[in-house]
Amino acid sequence: MKVLCYGDSNTYGFNPVSGLRYPKSIRWTGRLQQKLGGHYEVIEEGCNGRTTVFEDPFEPWKNGMSYLYACLNSHKPIDIVTLMLGSNDLKTVYHASAEEIARGAEELVCAMQSFMMEKQGFCPKIILMAPPVIGEDIERSPFGMSFDKSAVERSKNFGELYRKAAERQKCYFFNTADYIQSSKEDCLHLTPESHAVLADNLARYILAIE
């Protein structure tokens, strides 16, 4: 059973203290592999700064839609896809509302559904994951130059907006904010404890839908 985890720096495993990458044993994707066991193969596809559909004017390769098709085609056949994107879309450079960001995530779900039906003959189970809420002190964090205070309030709407998007596209929904929160260190990335909690709860969710 192949599980593709498509996301940004919180799927990559960015360490908010050192700025480096957590080892696999700490990353939620690595822990998810341990929890699910040998019957599952968890594939990590996290990229720092990745958006849903918005193009960074300086690093256009971080657009989540641009890489999606190549990624899916490289790893097929795929049974499950977890999609957790949207935090980077909150950057001031994109001027995006929470509704527009959720729409971007929904576009990725639609693209996956049609592409995978064509390329592998069936659609994987897609779990649309609402990202954690941005920390209240984001403006004073090391990433404060990219986010303003409105990012916090916009991120609080992700849960409901992503849930509705999942309902429209008849895919699965998982709200990370029900279990974890962004670190105090940078108000954006996850602590080792949050990685563990996310892996534990997502593993239970995946086993329940199988």
Side-chain angles (χ1 to χ4, degrees):
M1 192 72 65
K2 195 178 290 185
V3 184
L4 175 68
C5 300
Y6 195 70
D8 55 26
S9 52
N10 275 325
T11 299
Y12 168 85
F14 184 93
N15 184 330
V17 175
S18 68
L20 302 176
R21 190 182 193 185
Y22 287 125
K24 191 164 188 172
S25 60
I26 289 179
R27 300 195 295 267
W28 69 262
T29 45
R31 288 176 176 270
L32 182 65
Q33 178 69 78
Q34 294 173 359
K35 293 290 180 180
L36 293 177
H39 181 59
Y40 291 81
E41 177 189 356
V42 176
I43 301 168
E44 301 173 301
E45 279 287 357
C47 175
N48 296 343
R50 179 177 284 152
T51 66
T52 57
V53 299
F54 296 99
E55 191 160 297
D56 187 307
F58 304 106
E59 297 178 301
W61 50 273
K62 291 185 175 181
N63 182 326
M65 184 66 83
S66 298
Y67 177 60
L68 181 66
Y69 296 120
C71 178
L72 294 171
N73 199 58
S74 295
H75 294 298
K76 71 179 192 289
I78 301 167
D79 302 289
I80 299 172
V81 178
T82 70
L83 173 65
M84 184 169 69
L85 287 171
S87 296
N88 291 301
D89 304 46
L90 294 164
K91 291 177 179 178
T92 54
V93 68
Y94 301 120
H95 308 289
S97 67
E99 290 77 10
E100 289 169 329
I101 296 168
R103 195 181 314 144
E106 188 171 355
E107 284 299 311
L108 292 174
V109 171
C110 293
M112 281 188 226
Q113 291 171 333
S114 60
F115 185 78
M116 294 309 276
M117 284 300 298
E118 175 190 349
K119 295 299 182 182
Q120 68 177 29
F122 67 93
C123 183
K125 293 178 180 178
I126 299 171
I127 305 173
L128 180 57
M129 300 171 63
V133 173
I134 300 296
E136 294 288 342
D137 291 327
I138 187 65
E139 290 179 298
R140 291 189 287 276
S141 89
F143 295 92
M145 75 294 290
S146 299
F147 298 85
D148 61 20
K149 188 67 175 178
S150 74
V152 180
E153 294 308 313
R154 283 180 288 149
S155 70
K156 290 177 182 178
N157 294 316
F158 280 169
E160 182 63 14
L161 291 169
Y162 279 50
R163 181 187 64 78
K164 290 179 178 177
E167 287 177 354
R168 283 192 294 271
Q169 301 310 321
K170 297 180 172 56
C171 69
Y172 295 92
F173 170 68
F174 185 93
N175 189 9
T176 67
D178 288 342
Y179 307 98
I180 59 172
Q181 58 187 11
S182 300
S183 68
K184 290 184 172 64
E185 284 79 9
D186 70 5
C187 301
L188 187 62
H189 297 104
L190 304 179
T191 63
E193 292 75 18
S194 287
H195 276 271
V197 170
L198 178 56
D200 289 349
N201 285 280
L202 185 58
R204 280 195 286 270
Y205 187 87
I206 288 173
L207 293 171
I209 66 175
E210 279 298 291

